[in-house]
């Protein structure tokens, strides 16, 4: 069940990324070609209306961003100012890490509730988006949905941290560097932008 | 008083190590709940509309393009080309590293990505050729920073978004400073290498040079696609980013074939992950600057500075110090997104050009990336070279000093940034 | 005691007609209420951007706005799209008969159900087409990429001329024209000049083909909870501010046009009567196609008020 949610999340954001890129690519090519005076082709192209492409791209990326932010909690990519707490003893640092995770859950939980209320209010109006004329409540649904998922991810990471003492991003396997050089993820190192869970890492 | 509470709360929350985006959001929530009558629902509204802007979409597109390039064998070919051109001078491979970083910077929008792409291939080669590890690490860490100064640049897009400055003008303004900094870093490399008598490569024949150029052509051509496409009016900067992503995908998968189709979903997912993180910071930073505008904080700050009689010289000095300090603890996008909305109104009241100010902020961010305790380039380089941060810090100082000299130049000589966009009629 | 605060937010610069009128209203309102009301003007999207200001007003985060009329369609008040129809009004006299008469009041009333009270219409002016080639006849539009602001009617208008409409933020237009991402656009003369578009466009065609205007609106709950005497004073101030806004818009448009002529960088083209007729003929299709969107009855009543007869073209 949880595995399925994980996969769904990954598929959704990967697909949105690819689809938005292709969409803008097609829209640009279309605009470029329809400016060339080849009568037959131009007539055909002028028939096609892609005015909605920008709006759809924006909405796809906003959805990608909201669900991607939840995925980011799971991969530990969100950056913080960890310089101070990385200098604390592991025992003390634990409390700060836990505090941070719960603060994340508090904020995203609050936003989810506010967002749900907001979507509910918008749902009772006739507001639509300008180009696609989608009902706005559907568009804004990204806020409560993404934020609830993010809240859940913060709690999930907090629970596993309590149990195992590990945070998701500490995957040193891929810093093996030279052989498979390109798999180093910036924002995913022992960089003082993320809390250290063990003695290793940047602040020496 | 209110502004003091906002900032103290923000800094306190940030120092606990929670994600910057969360500390921004919680500060705003607390403030709204307790001290204003702004309806709390506007938070939900702002969290959506904060990134509902087509210019911002350049960020995920450039990240995706960068990831395809990093995985796609482009960097390897650029290094070969750079080596053929400058490898025989003092500094040899090191000098080629600076050139390769500058070339890669012209197609990638991110500094750490440039360090990874060039560093992970060049470092082993340099060690094999007998260079000390420190020398290579110093070059890669600092030259990689060109990634955000030479266009395209994700940090410039962030600045443009935060201040309503034109992305196209900023990109163009980054070209000259980028070339000058690359030259200065190259000179430092050359001088260090000559002093220590580091190995040089045999001079490449023109045939070899041509072959290397031909092999790297499809990567280099992306520079023409992005910059040429923007300035000949085929597309806007955001559209250019989308075109770059599609182009990089085709080159990586079908031309160079260094990336298999099977790996594409992973590249998409990684790009979405990083984009979402940055977009999440943006939304929360927009929320934060909304609260500041609501409280008229930037206007008060501007008025106060003007009343104190500070001219632009002192102001720019103070901004540089502030940004360098922030560079100790935060990464560039957060700094730009939090600071730009506060500093920008003051700068424009003092008559400082928004484009010049943006380039200056970008150079500050470059410096910040190369020194501890927080410096993304440094940590990426440490991952590649397996050197400790302390050792790396010592290794980068000659180049870091060069960058600081360059920062003074950029700050107090606006034509360096503004000449090119003026010549093109962009501003 | 504490004054009542009205946050008046808009998305343009302080020195535009709307920006000036907002400041003028602030002064009048504070004078007439003897300081019992304080109006805080937030220009330049400082507080809310184009896309969010209406929602913010409905939530009560801001009390007063002056969005362009095209913004009300997405809100569910499709009738307002009627103002985007090309060649609906021949001149300011015809226009003001509609906006200041019963039809205008009826339109503003439609906002009531959205939690909004409409106070007045403010002019920005009639739009002129601009491009890098002279546009005399509709055939000259073929294949051109023209920037519009997001609107179904404007989209249909450009397509009716054979051009490709391109939605683009106002802040991006200058550069897009400069590099040629888009070939032209439509603007009242004052916007054209203040955005320095005469530097990047070769021709400005005095087509007067469309109208750009704003509605000044307030949050309904806020408005109804105001003491009646204050409400009356504010209405009074708004009446004067509207007169000022429309006068200043007309003046700025004509001085801007003069300035464009003087700059010598853009050639100003005056359409021959038969050319203008050809434009109208090409564009009347938009009235027919969009008629059902904005409401046939509304369209007919405007025709009647202005004396426009599409059959006579
Ligand atoms: Na770059
Ligand atoms: Na730093």
């Amino acid at each position: 069940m949880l595995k399925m949610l994980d996969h769904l999340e990954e598929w959704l954001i990967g697909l949105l990324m690819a689809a938005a890129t292709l969409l803008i690519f097609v829209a640009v090519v279309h605009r470029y070609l329809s400016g060339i005076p080849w009568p037959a082709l131009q007539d055909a192209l002028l028939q096609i209306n892609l005015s909605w492409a920008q709006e759809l791209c924006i909405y796809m990326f906003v959805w990608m961003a909201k669900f991607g932010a939840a995925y980011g909690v799971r991969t530990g990519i969100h950056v913080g100012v960890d310089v101070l707490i990385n200098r604390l003893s592991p025992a003390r640092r634990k409390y700060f890490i836990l505090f941070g995770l719960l603060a994340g859950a508090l904020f995203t939980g609050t936003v989810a509730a506010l967002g749900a209320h907001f979507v509910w209010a918008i749902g009772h109006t006739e507001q639509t988006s300008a180009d696609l004329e989608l009902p706005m409540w559907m568009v804004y649904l990204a806020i409560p949905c993404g934020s609830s998922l993010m809240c859940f991810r913060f709690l999930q990471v907090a629970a596993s941290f309590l149990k195992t003492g590990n945070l998701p991003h500490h995957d040193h396997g891929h810093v093996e560097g030279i052989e498979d050089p390109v798999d180093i993820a910036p924002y995913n190192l022992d960089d003082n932008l993320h809390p250290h869970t063990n003695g290793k890492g940047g602040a020496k | 008083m209110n502004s003091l509470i906002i900032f103290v709360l923000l800094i306190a929350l940030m120092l606990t190590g929670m994600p910057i985006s969360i500390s921004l959001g919680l500060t705003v929530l607390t403030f709204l709940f307790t001290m204003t009558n702004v309806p709390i629902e506007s938070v939900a509204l702002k969290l959506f509309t904060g990134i509902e802007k087509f210019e911002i979409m350049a960020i995920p597109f450039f990240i995706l393009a960068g990831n395809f390039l990093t995985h796609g064998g482009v960097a390897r070919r650029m290094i070969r080309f750079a080596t053929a051109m400058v490898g025989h001078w003092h500094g040899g491979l090191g000098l080629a590293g600076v050139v390769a970083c500058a070339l890669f910077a012209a197609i990638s929008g991110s500094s750490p990505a440039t360090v990874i792409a060039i560093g992970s291939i060049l470092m082993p080669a340099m060690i094999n050729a007998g260079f000390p590890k420190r020398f290579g690490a110093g070059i890669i860490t600092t030259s990689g920073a060109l990634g955000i100064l030479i266009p395209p640049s994700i940090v410039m897009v962030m600045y443009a978004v935060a201040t309503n400055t034109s992305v196209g003008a900023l990109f163009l303004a980054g070209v000259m400073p980028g070339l000058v900094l690359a030259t200065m870093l190259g000179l430092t490399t050359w001088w260090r290498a000559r002093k220590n008598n580091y190995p040089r490569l045999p001079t490449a024949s023109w045939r070899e040079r041509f072959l290397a150029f031909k092999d790297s052509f499809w990567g280099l051509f992306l520079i023409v696609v992005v910059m040429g496409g923007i300035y000949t009016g085929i597309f806007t900067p955001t559209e250019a980013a989308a075109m770059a992503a599609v182009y990089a995908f085709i080159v990586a998968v079908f031309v160079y074939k260094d990336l298999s189709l099977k790996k594409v979903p992973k590249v998409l997912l990684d790009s979405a992950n990083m984009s979402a993180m940055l977009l999440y910071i943006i939304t929360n930073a927009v929320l934060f600057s909304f609260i500041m505008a609501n409280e008229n904080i930037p206007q008060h700050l501007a008025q106060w500075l003007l009343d104190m009689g500070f001219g632009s010289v002192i102001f720019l000095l103070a901004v540089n110090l502030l940004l360098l300090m922030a560079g100790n603890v935060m990464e560039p996008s957060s700094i730009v997104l939090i600071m730009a909305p506060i500093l920008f109104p003051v700068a424009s009241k003092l008559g400082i050009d928004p484009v010049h100010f943006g380039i200056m902020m970008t150079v500050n961010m470059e410096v910040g990336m190369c020194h501890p305790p927080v410096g993304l380039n440094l940590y990426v380089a440490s991952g590649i070279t397996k050197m400790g941060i302390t050792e790396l810090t010592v290794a980068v100082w000659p180049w870091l000093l060069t960058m600081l000299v360059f920062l003074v130049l950029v700050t107090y000589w606006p034509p360096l940034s503004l000449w090119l966009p003026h010549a093109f009629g962009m501003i | 005691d504490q004054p009542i605060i009205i946050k008046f937010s808009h998305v343009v610069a302080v020195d535009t007609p709307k920006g000036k009128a907002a400041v003028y209203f602030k002064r009048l309102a504070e004078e007439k209420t003897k300081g019992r009301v304080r109006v805080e003007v937030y220009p330049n999207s400082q507080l809310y951007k184009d896309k969010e200001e209406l929602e913010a007003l409905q939530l009560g985060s801001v009390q007063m706005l002056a969005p362009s009329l095209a913004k009300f369609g997405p809100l569910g008040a499709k009738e307002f799209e009627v103002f985007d129809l090309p060649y609906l009004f021949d001149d300011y006299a015809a226009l003001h008969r509609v906006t200041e008469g019963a039809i205008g009041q009826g339109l503003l009333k439609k906002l009531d159900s959205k939690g909004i009270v409409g106070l007045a219409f403010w002019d920005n002016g009639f739009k002129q087409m601009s491009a890098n080639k002279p546009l005399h006849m509709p055939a000259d539009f073929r294949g051109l990429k023209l920037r519009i602001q997001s609107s179904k009617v404007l989209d249909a208008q450009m397509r009716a001329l054979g051009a490709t409409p391109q939605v683009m933020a106002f802040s991006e237009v200058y550069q897009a024209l400069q590099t040629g991402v888009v070939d032209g656009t439509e603007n009242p003369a004052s916007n054209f000049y203040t955005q320095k578009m005469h530097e990047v466009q070769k021709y400005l065609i005095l087509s007067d083909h469309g109208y750009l205007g704003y509605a000044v609106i307030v949050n309904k709950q806020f408005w109804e909870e105001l003491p009646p005497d204050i409400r009356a004073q504010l209405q009074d101030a708004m009446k004067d501010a509207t007169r000022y806004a429309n006068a200043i818009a007309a003046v700025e448009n004509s001085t801007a046009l003069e300035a464009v002529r003087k700059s010598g960088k853009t050639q100003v083209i005056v359409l021959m009567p038969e050319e203008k007729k050809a434009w109208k003929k090409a564009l009347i299709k938009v009235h027919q196609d969009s008629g059902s969107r904005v409401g046939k009855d509304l369209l007919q009543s405007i025709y009647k008020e202005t004396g426009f007869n599409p059959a006579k073209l």
Side-chain angles (χ1 to χ4, degrees), chain C residues 136-138 161 273-283:
Chain C
H136 287 284
M137 295 299 275
L161 291 165
E274 69 273 13
E275 288 172 347
K276 203 160 193 173
K277 198 164 178 188
W279 284 52
K280 285 189 182 181
K281 266 195 174 144
L283 287 169

Side-chain angles (χ1 to χ4, degrees), chain B residues 396-416:
Chain B
V396 298
W397 77 262
W399 291 273
L400 196 60
L401 217 57
T402 310
M403 283 171 93
L404 284 171
V405 172
F406 175 71
L407 176 60
V408 176
L409 190 68
V410 160
T411 305
Y412 292 110
W413 193 41
L416 179 60

Side-chain angles (χ1 to χ4, degrees), chain A residues 19-197:
Chain A
T21 312
L22 275 177
L23 177 66
I24 294 305
F25 177 77
V26 170
V28 171
V29 171
H30 170 260
R31 187 185 62 214
Y32 184 75
L33 291 180
S34 56
I36 302 174
W38 295 327
L41 178 71
Q42 198 175 30
D43 278 336
L45 288 174
L46 287 176
Q47 294 301 312
I48 305 170
N49 183 339
L50 287 178
S51 301
W52 43 270
Q54 253 189 39
E55 191 179 272
L56 183 60
C57 166
I58 293 174
Y59 290 160
M60 285 201 283
F61 270 151
V62 173
W63 277 73
M64 187 275 283
K66 297 303 165 196
F67 285 87
Y71 175 71
V73 176
R74 185 149 69 88
T75 59
I77 203 174
H78 292 282
V79 293
V81 179
D82 297 89
V83 174
L84 278 189
I85 66 162
N86 282 339
R87 284 159 199 261
L88 298 175
S89 69
R92 284 204 190 151
R93 193 185 315 138
K94 206 175 98 180
Y95 291 104
F96 280 96
I97 293 176
L98 211 55
F99 176 74
L101 290 170
L102 293 178
L106 173 69
F107 175 69
T108 51
T110 312
V111 168
L114 291 173
H117 186 248
F118 180 65
V119 167
W120 180 255
I122 293 283
H124 287 82
T125 69
E126 293 155 50
Q127 282 183 47
T128 60
S129 70
D131 298 321
L132 291 161
E133 304 200 306
L134 289 169
M136 275 323 272
W137 67 267
M138 275 167 77
V139 176
Y140 285 131
L141 210 53
I143 303 281
C145 293
S147 228
S148 323
L149 185 60
M150 201 169 170
C151 178
F152 171 70
R153 294 299 185 196
F154 269 118
L155 293 173
Q156 206 182 17
V157 170
S160 104
F161 176 66
L162 268 181
K163 214 158 64 188
T164 65
N166 283 327
L167 286 171
H169 63 271
H170 278 255
D171 180 8
H172 284 278
H174 61 210
V175 191
E176 285 315 312
I178 316 294
E179 294 77 35
D180 188 9
V182 289
D183 251 9
I184 296 173
Y187 295 107
N188 232 351
L189 299 158
D190 250 348
D191 51 9
N192 276 323
L193 293 167
H194 299 97
H196 303 163
T197 40

Side-chain angles (χ1 to χ4, degrees), chain C residues 19-57:
Chain C
K20 286 180 186 168
V23 174
Y24 187 83
F25 170 75
K26 167 193 165 75
R27 218 188 60 214
L28 278 185
E30 289 174 356
E31 258 171 39
K32 290 195 194 246
T33 60
K34 303 202 170 54
R36 284 165 71 199
V37 166
R38 206 172 78 215
V39 182
E40 294 176 354
V41 180
Y42 292 84
N44 267 330
S45 314
Q46 250 171 37
L47 219 46
Y48 293 101
K49 287 179 304 185
D50 227 8
K51 285 188 175 164
E52 60 195 10
E53 55 175 12
L54 277 166
E55 274 116 331
L57 181 95

Side-chain angles (χ1 to χ4, degrees), chain C residues 76-143:
Chain C
K78 297 256 185 297
E79 297 87 351
F80 279 77
E81 292 181 4
V82 80
F83 289 103
D84 281 339
L85 287 178
Y87 288 122
L88 184 61
F89 308 106
D90 278 334
D91 49 28
Y92 282 110
L95 165 76
H96 289 154
R97 278 205 300 282
V98 170
T99 53
E100 281 159 23
I103 300 175
Q105 286 311 307
L107 279 168
L108 292 178
K109 263 271 164 287
K110 302 257 188 231
L111 298 174
D112 264 21
S113 63
K114 325 274 176 217
I116 295 172
V117 172
L119 297 180
F121 290 95
W122 284 3
D123 290 342
N124 188 333
F126 283 103
K127 288 182 288 189
Q128 324 297 349
M129 209 64 90
S130 67
N132 285 326
K133 63 183 238 190
L135 302 172
H136 287 284
M137 295 299 275
D140 299 331
F141 280 85
R142 194 183 148 88

